[in-house]
Amino acid sequence: MHATVRGLAGLFVVAWVLASVGGCGSGVQPIAGSVGASGTVTLNGQPLEQGMVRFAPQGGKAQPATGQIKGGKFTMLTTASSPGVVIGKYKVSILSNKPFTPPTLAPGTPPDPNAKFEPESFIPKKYNDIKTSDFEVDVTGATTALTFALQGE
């Protein structure tokens, strides 16, 4: 019985140490060389309600990054768990699509496997692709002043 109590005590100490170590640094850690980056997106002068900003690196050591737009504001993430962006130059694309609603089919009618569904965009499609968006940023340090002013219907 004495050995069992000692074994349980030892097991408790090991579990406590593992829990303590697991708790250390459990906060979100930025990728080395990254800085905070956030800003606003407007469409015809009004805040874009929802969407996504995407940064595509233009050489160097930069990494792709994304930021979810909510009420015209966004904050960039290099990965799902790393805030900010790596310093560097980026081409920028912006997406803002209406929620997809699948077509209504008559009962017993199978969906067409060859049908292609393209989401309907809230913004002009030119902003969806880095080749046509004309937006570029050079991130040299932390910023909260990135602004993307979209125009069109």
Side-chain angles (χ1 to χ4, degrees):
M1 180 96 169
H2 187 286
T4 304
V5 171
R6 190 179 321 172
L8 287 174
L11 185 60
F12 175 79
V13 170
V14 170
W16 179 80
V17 169
L18 288 175
S20 297
V21 170
C24 291
S26 62
V28 177
Q29 298 296 317
I31 291 177
S34 65
V35 294
S38 61
T40 59
V41 180
T42 59
L43 176 62
N44 300 323
Q46 298 300 312
L48 186 62
E49 286 304 312
Q50 58 88 22
M52 180 169 295
V53 177
R54 298 185 302 183
F55 284 11
Q58 298 299 297
K61 297 181 181 178
Q63 295 185 11
T66 60
Q68 185 174 2
I69 303 166
K70 290 184 180 178
K73 299 189 181 301
F74 67 92
T75 299
M76 299 303 292
L77 300 171
T78 300
T79 67
S81 62
S82 181
V85 296
V86 175
I87 290 175
K89 293 182 180 187
Y90 296 88
K91 289 278 214 169
V92 180
S93 62
I94 299 171
L95 300 171
S96 183
N97 296 326
K98 294 180 181 178
F100 175 73
T101 304
T104 304
L105 300 173
T109 305
D112 180 358
N114 298 318
K116 295 186 179 174
F117 301 101
E118 189 170 325
E120 189 176 349
S121 183
F122 285 119
I123 63 175
K125 292 192 184 228
K126 78 175 204 167
Y127 298 114
N128 296 173
D129 190 323
I130 61 169
K131 296 174 190 162
T132 56
S133 77
D134 297 329
F135 288 127
E136 295 182 2
V137 294
D138 186 2
V139 178
T140 58
T143 181
T144 58
L146 296 172
T147 303
F148 301 105
L150 315 181
Q151 297 296 319
E153 294 181 35

